[in-house]
Amino acid sequence: MNIGVDLGGTKIKAGVELNGSVIKQETILLKQKDSLSSTLQQLIDLIKPLMSYSVSSIGIGVPSVVDIEKGIVYDVANIPSWKKVDLKDILQEEFNVPVFVNNDVNCFALGECRFGVAKEYRSVVGVTTGTGLGSGIVIDNELYTGANCGAGEIGLLPYLDKNFEYYASNNFFEAVHGITALEANMAAAAGDTHAIGLWEKFGIHLGATLKAVMYVYDPEAIVLGGSLAKAYQFFEEGMYQELKDFSFPQSLKSVKILQSTDENIALLGAAALIPQELKNYALKD
């Protein structure tokens, strides 16, 4: 059994993973985010009751750039006190088990490939769209993070006059059209034609993003997650319309574009961060 932690800017989820399922889970709202000591203590207090299980390791996904080897996180999104945190050392000292730290979207992609809707595939890109736009890459069933945990930042690639993230995240609704994605979703669900049109345009921008993903990584499957992915029914048509002119028609026919269905998939992916060599060692024991 391993503990997976999904750390966000507003809440933290932690759970015990056993055979791809969460058998015990704890969730808290994050308070006093300007205090490093307070936020770290909240994280520790969340994990403590889960340690009563026979836990082999702790994996944690964080919305930031991560020094994966040292387990240091930098400039964590929406937690201003987390500028540089030696998270691995702190948690290992506290709980005396191996700790593995990675980017939260990487954990999402790994979770989908190991336990989720993409578990039939070995080459997967997970794309999350919400406040921002992120992606994680799994190649041959193993997470690929790049030399500096920066692989997969498709959202920062230039697109139109800005970048993909500007047009394929909540920013498209708020900054461009003065409405939140939640408001647009509710309006579209009520039959508002203007809101439905906004989602179609959003789908076009997301489709352009997915074309970039396919050109760069040529995955077997792409999994869509994040809060905006819940409005799939409203942007699906625009997304596929944009994909029609992809240069390699056979690749377009074979790639599977899937929707994430498990709210705990990033948590499960974090629990799966334990390296293969440690898994083999545990099996020998």
Side-chain angles (χ1 to χ4, degrees):
M1 287 183 283
N2 302 294
I3 290 176
V5 182
D6 183 12
L7 189 149
T10 58
K11 66 180 179 181
I12 314 174
K13 295 196 297 184
V16 178
E17 176 269 329
L18 176 64
N19 298 326
S21 297
V22 178
I23 61 172
K24 176 65 176 178
Q25 182 176 330
E26 302 284 347
T27 304
I28 59 168
L29 293 177
L30 195 58
K31 302 176 182 178
Q32 297 176 307
K33 292 191 286 184
D34 290 328
S35 170
L36 176 59
S37 60
S38 174
T39 49
L40 283 172
Q41 192 60 52
Q42 291 172 64
L43 174 61
I44 289 169
D45 290 344
L46 180 70
I47 295 172
K48 272 183 180 178
L50 302 177
M51 294 300 295
S52 61
Y53 293 81
S54 299
V55 172
S56 302
S57 73
I58 298 171
I60 178 167
V62 183
S64 72
V65 171
V66 180
D67 182 327
I68 295 172
E69 183 177 345
K70 296 179 180 178
I72 302 172
V73 300
Y74 298 91
D75 301 312
V76 177
N78 298 313
I79 309 179
S81 59
W82 286 42
K83 296 299 182 185
K84 179 184 177 184
V85 182
D86 294 283
L87 192 57
K88 177 176 181 174
D89 287 347
I90 291 168
L91 294 182
Q92 284 188 167
E93 182 177 351
E94 179 70 31
F95 296 113
N96 197 33
V97 296
V99 174
F100 307 97
V101 187
N102 213 304
N103 175 267
D104 59 341
V105 184
N106 288 343
C107 291
F108 166 79
L110 183 62
E112 290 292 0
C113 191
R114 295 283 176 83
F115 309 116
V117 295
K119 61 185 177 184
E120 297 178 14
Y121 307 100
R122 299 182 62 84
S123 171
V124 176
V125 176
V127 177
T128 61
T129 173
T131 303
L133 178 73
S135 61
I137 306 149
V138 175
I139 298 173
D140 198 22
N141 209 33
E142 293 293 332
L143 193 60
Y144 177 74
T145 61
N148 302 291
C149 197
E153 291 294 344
I154 296 293
L156 300 182
L157 292 176
Y159 173 65
L160 300 179
D161 59 330
K162 301 288 185 182
N163 58 25
F164 284 115
E165 183 172 76
Y166 187 86
Y167 288 100
S169 70
N170 190 56
N171 191 81
F172 168 77
F173 294 93
E174 291 194 356
V176 180
H177 295 286
I179 184 174
T180 69
L182 177 59
E183 290 168 339
N185 192 16
M186 293 173 64
D192 184 283
T193 55
H194 176 68
I196 292 171
L198 288 182
W199 279 110
E200 184 176 353
K201 291 177 182 177
F202 171 84
I204 291 170
H205 297 311
L206 184 60
T209 306
L210 299 190
K211 283 197 291 189
V213 168
M214 292 167 66
Y215 283 128
V216 174
Y217 299 109
D218 188 24
E220 293 176 274
I222 298 172
V223 185
L224 301 179
S227 58
L228 272 65
K230 296 175 182 177
Y232 184 82
Q233 61 178 318
F234 299 122
F235 65 74
E236 177 185 14
E237 185 176 348
M239 180 185 74
Y240 276 106
Q241 184 64 37
E242 177 64 21
L243 286 170
K244 280 184 177 179
D245 67 352
F246 187 70
S247 297
F248 308 118
Q250 192 56 45
S251 297
L252 183 60
K253 287 180 182 178
S254 63
V255 70
K256 305 298 181 184
I257 299 177
L258 310 169
Q259 290 177 268
S260 180
T261 59
D262 191 334
E263 293 290 336
N264 289 323
I265 203 66
L267 185 157
L268 288 169
L273 287 173
I274 180 170
Q276 188 61 48
E277 56 267 26
L278 288 185
K279 291 180 184 176
N280 293 338
Y281 181 81
L283 288 173
K284 289 178 183 177
D285 284 354

